[in-house]
Amino acid sequence: MGLRSIQDWIAWAGVVVPLFALAWAAIFYTLARRREVQHQEFERFFKVMDQLGHGDGSIASKMAAAYELRKYPEYREVIIRLCDQAKIDGPAAAMLRDEMKLTADLMRKIR
């Protein structure tokens, strides 16, 4: 089967052009969706960081937030700085310091 006549070329173009358009749309949809997921991931990370920063939260919720930071290796540099330099006061502060140290140690292992 060869493409010898104009009708053959038109028939193939009728198949190929829509497939290219579909592939192009799928690529752009995937890229847009990836950007949306990355933004949602940042929003979740920001909420976890915000939980750690609130002075009125419980030590247990802050420990959970410190543990949750382990899910965000792409932010490891800022997580390590936070865990190393945080000033933690109050009751059961040692527990939170220990959790933050564990988080920082884990982030240091990730490369």
Side-chain angles (χ1 to χ4, degrees):
M1 175 168 185
L3 300 177
R4 297 185 183 163
S5 69
I6 191 75
Q7 290 86 3
D8 292 339
W9 281 100
I10 291 172
W12 274 105
V15 172
V16 172
V17 170
L19 289 176
F20 276 129
L22 182 62
W24 188 261
I27 289 169
F28 274 100
Y29 173 78
T30 302
L31 292 174
R33 183 73 177 121
R34 183 178 297 156
R35 281 191 301 271
E36 183 181 324
V37 167
Q38 288 172 340
H39 180 70
Q40 290 171 349
E41 189 82 6
F42 170 76
E43 290 290 327
R44 286 191 298 268
F45 172 74
F46 187 80
K47 286 179 183 179
V48 171
M49 292 292 281
D50 198 37
Q51 177 66 35
L52 277 173
H54 280 297
D56 57 346
S58 70
I59 290 292
S61 67
K62 290 180 186 233
M63 286 177 63
Y67 183 83
E68 188 73 12
L69 287 176
R70 298 173 191 179
K71 294 181 179 179
Y72 302 98
E74 63 272 17
Y75 299 107
R76 75 175 173 271
E77 294 170 4
V78 72
I79 291 170
I80 291 169
R81 282 195 304 273
L82 169 78
C83 291
D84 287 344
Q85 299 173 8
K87 303 216 182 330
I88 304 167
D89 299 324
M95 290 171 43
L96 180 55
R97 270 194 297 275
D98 291 344
E99 194 64 43
M100 291 183 80
K101 182 181 179 325
L102 290 170
T103 297
D105 291 344
L106 179 74
M107 288 292 148
R108 283 187 184 94
K109 291 179 185 177
I110 298 172
R111 290 286 170 198

